[in-house]
Amino acid sequence: FPARSFKMPKDAEQMVQQYLENYYDLKSVGEQIGQIGRQRKGSLVVEKLKQMQKFFGLKVTGKPDAETLKMMQQARCGVPDVAA
Amino acid sequence: YVLTQGNPRWEQTQLTYRIENYTPDLSRADVDHAIEKAFQLWSAVTPLTFSKVSEGLADIMISFTRGDHGDNSPFYGPEGDLAHAFQPGPHIGGDIHFDEDETWTNDLRHYNLFYVAAHELGHSLGLSHSNDIGALMYPNYNVNSYDDIQLSQDDINGIQAIYGPSKNPSQPTGRQTPQMCDSKLTFDAITTLRGEVMFLKDRFYMRPGSHYSEPELHYINVFWPNLPNGLQAAYEFADRDEIRFFKGNEYWAVRGTEMLPGYPRSIHRSFGFPRSVENIDAAVFEENTGKTYFFVADKIWRYDEYKQSMDAGYPKQIAADFPGIGNHVDAVFQKNGFLYFFRGRRQYKFDPRTKRVLTLLKPNSWFNC
């Protein structure tokens, strides 16, 4: 199938983090320190990614796959998709 | 649709707006016109009225700004966020900020001010983002034609849930986004595409799921930005890896995601249809015979893809070659040697070898509903 060519951005992880912070109320986890904080961050990102994928009608994987990253790169309204 | 959390709304129905400054990308008249049209979209379906003021505070203050502009929601240069708006309320409530780092247009180039203003106004009035991809309140920018800039039924349902309907007796209706599991779903056209099947309806394609993917609904322009909306027929000429899309008396050809040059072409000049044929309802290429069947009203035409000419003896009544499927076809495709005809809310599985209808199916049977 002719899926449009897609170049994975170099800073994909940072882009996902920023997108979820902006539009999906993913709190900045910079202040969380240690293993528990990192685990918590990981599960929060997955949860928010699933939320985002469901909202946009994408396959809900909880992973930043090509379709998800492509959607994140589209120009959009700056109002968050979920209430802060 | 989704209402803003807490259901904020304007208590008064007569609202004012003021355009605080103007983008240099457009004339002032163009900006005024785009903003006025955006307000009209929402006032047409609600009891709300909007009056422009040129001085002082208005309920909805509109401005073009860039970067950090003092509301804790900075813009970050071109692309990304185009604009934002605040929920109904005093002070900054209802206000709309457009990112001046974008290029604003009054045509189909990025980014159309009317479309973005209409979306932001939805927020100013109390709507949140909708996950209906065809709604104006969907968060991503997607304008391919002027037809795209109108309210969907989802937008209308949302705003009327807040403010009620307009008192105007003639109510505009919004466009519906196809729902894959709606048993009343009909299709404009269907084609195979390198082994998959693509169902077309208005601006959208629907692609059935497979063992590794969910059914998908998206804009046709994701794949082919230059195809018009509302295609009427399509078929795959697999030998050339080409898909041909028809609308009115014109057609376009694509290979993969590439639009082939030299299109649109005339169906009269290319296929030899008489001038009396103004559009094609459905088309399908039969691999075994190398023939393409075109369905036009209650008749079929048969085109030889290799001789590049219409076969003698055509047109015929549809029933002559395809008995049992009625006298009109909305869409048709071939898969695994069978033809699948769609007419209204019915789908017919047809065996071309025995010329018999094998099964009647719901039109959305391909979407695992």
Side-chain angles (χ1 to χ4, degrees):
Chain A
F1 197 83
R4 286 167 83 83
S5 60
F6 177 76
K7 197 175 170 188
M8 191 73 78
K10 280 182 193 165
D11 52 353
E13 192 180 339
Q14 192 186 345
M15 189 180 83
V16 169
Q17 173 82 23
Q18 190 65 56
Y19 190 94
L20 297 178
E21 281 179 18
N22 287 354
Y23 308 117
Y24 284 84
D25 198 27
L26 178 70
K27 300 278 185 269
S28 175
V29 289
E31 68 275 15
Q32 294 184 0
I33 301 166
Q35 187 64 24
I36 293 171
R38 280 193 291 276
Q39 284 174 353
R40 176 82 182 127
K41 174 191 171 185
S43 64
L44 266 179
V45 167
V46 170
E47 188 185 312
K48 293 291 180 184
L49 264 178
K50 284 182 175 174
Q51 205 175 342
M52 179 260 177
Q53 289 163 333
K54 187 169 180 229
F55 180 89
F56 283 95
L58 301 168
K59 192 178 174 192
V60 179
T61 60
K63 293 174 187 165
D65 49 48
E67 291 298 319
T68 303
L69 291 174
K70 200 161 64 179
M71 187 65 85
M72 287 179 173
Q73 287 178 303
Q74 289 180 10
R76 54 161 291 160
C77 170
V79 171
D81 298 331
V82 296
Chain B
Y1 64 85
V2 179
L3 304 184
T4 304
Q5 196 175 45
N7 296 351
R9 52 167 285 161
W10 296 99
E11 293 307 324
Q12 72 276 32
T13 56
Q14 295 176 320
L15 298 170
T16 56
Y17 71 94
R18 181 179 152 202
I19 303 174
E20 289 185 273
N21 65 347
Y22 285 77
T23 173
D25 302 340
L26 291 166
S27 72
R28 286 173 74 102
D30 282 342
V31 172
D32 285 341
H33 187 56
I35 301 293
E36 187 184 348
K37 281 195 302 176
F39 277 107
Q40 282 169 356
L41 282 183
W42 296 103
S43 62
V45 296
T46 61
L48 299 173
T49 63
F50 304 101
S51 313
K52 183 169 182 256
V53 298
S54 51
E55 287 182 339
L57 277 178
D59 297 310
I60 297 169
M61 302 287 278
I62 297 168
S63 58
F64 292 84
T65 182
R66 58 163 52 90
D68 187 347
H69 51 282
D71 64 1
N72 288 333
S73 300
F75 292 125
Y76 294 98
E79 308 292 330
D81 289 353
L82 306 178
H84 55 228
F86 295 84
Q87 65 184 52
H91 312 300
I92 203 169
D95 292 0
I96 299 174
H97 300 158
F98 295 99
D99 185 359
E100 188 51 83
D101 280 334
E102 312 301 340
T103 302
W104 297 104
T105 76
N106 58 357
D107 52 35
L108 296 177
R109 291 170 299 153
H110 287 187
Y111 290 99
N112 183 285
L113 180 61
F114 169 34
Y115 175 80
V116 177
H119 172 99
E120 297 307 330
L121 257 178
H123 293 309
S124 300
L125 300 177
L127 290 176
S128 192
H129 282 148
S130 170
N131 62 4
D132 179 336
I133 193 173
L136 195 63
M137 292 314 295
Y138 193 71
N140 284 8
Y141 183 93
N142 199 329
V143 176
N144 195 43
S145 81
Y146 292 107
D147 288 347
D148 295 338
I149 313 175
Q150 56 179 292
L151 299 185
S152 73
Q153 195 56 46
D154 179 77
D155 300 309
I156 294 174
N157 294 345
I159 203 69
Q160 291 187 343
I162 305 174
Y163 298 103
S166 162
K167 293 183 173 64
N168 190 330
S170 64
Q171 290 285 314
T173 52
R175 288 184 306 180
Q176 296 277 6
T177 305
Q179 304 295 316
M180 284 188 280
C181 286
D182 178 1
S183 60
K184 297 190 286 294
L185 182 65
T186 59
F187 302 106
D188 295 337
I190 306 171
T191 179
T192 51
L193 199 169
R194 295 181 175 173
E196 289 199 43
V197 187
M198 188 171 260
F199 296 74
L200 308 177
K201 174 79 172 178
D202 302 330
R203 300 172 287 164
F204 304 96
Y205 75 79
M206 286 158 273
R207 179 181 173 188
S210 64
H211 64 282
Y212 61 88
S213 66
E214 299 292 315
E216 183 177 292
L217 168 75
H218 221 295
Y219 287 102
I220 293 170
N221 68 35
V222 166
F223 286 111
W224 303 291
N226 297 320
L227 285 181
N229 293 332
L231 294 161
Q232 294 166 324
Y235 73 92
E236 180 180 32
F237 180 25
D239 294 17
R240 276 209 209 161
D241 187 23
E242 260 183 45
I243 302 178
R244 294 164 184 172
F245 296 97
F246 296 80
K247 182 175 182 178
N249 59 16
E250 293 182 319
Y251 76 104
W252 292 256
V254 306
R255 179 169 296 128
T257 53
E258 179 195 0
M259 299 282 302
L260 296 181
Y263 292 89
R265 290 184 188 169
S266 156
I267 60 169
H268 303 121
R269 281 195 290 278
S270 296
F271 296 100
F273 284 107
R275 294 279 159 190
S276 57
V277 173
E278 293 173 354
N279 64 282
I280 291 164
D281 296 327
V284 64
F285 171 66
E286 267 212 317
E287 288 183 29
N288 299 340
T289 59
K291 312 277 189 183
T292 295
Y293 286 96
F294 291 105
F295 296 79
V296 180
D298 61 349
K299 295 193 170 53
I300 40 171
W301 300 71
R302 199 173 72 183
Y303 180 78
D304 189 312
E305 293 285 354
Y306 300 107
K307 290 182 187 165
Q308 297 194 342
S309 62
M310 286 290 186
D311 282 350
Y314 288 83
K316 289 179 182 176
Q317 292 292 315
I318 292 174
D321 284 4
F322 304 105
I325 62 159
N327 56 7
H328 180 85
V329 173
D330 292 336
V332 57
F333 69 93
Q334 184 180 41
K335 191 164 178 67
N336 301 329
F338 298 106
L339 291 168
Y340 295 87
F341 289 96
F342 293 74
R343 180 165 62 88
R345 296 175 189 177
R346 285 195 167 173
Q347 179 187 175
Y348 304 78
K349 182 178 181 182
F350 187 91
D351 186 342
R353 288 154 294 199
T354 59
K355 290 194 175 292
R356 291 182 64 177
V357 173
L358 299 179
T359 324
L360 276 178
L361 300 158
K362 287 184 179 173
N364 59 352
S365 66
W366 296 86
F367 300 121
N368 302 323
C369 292

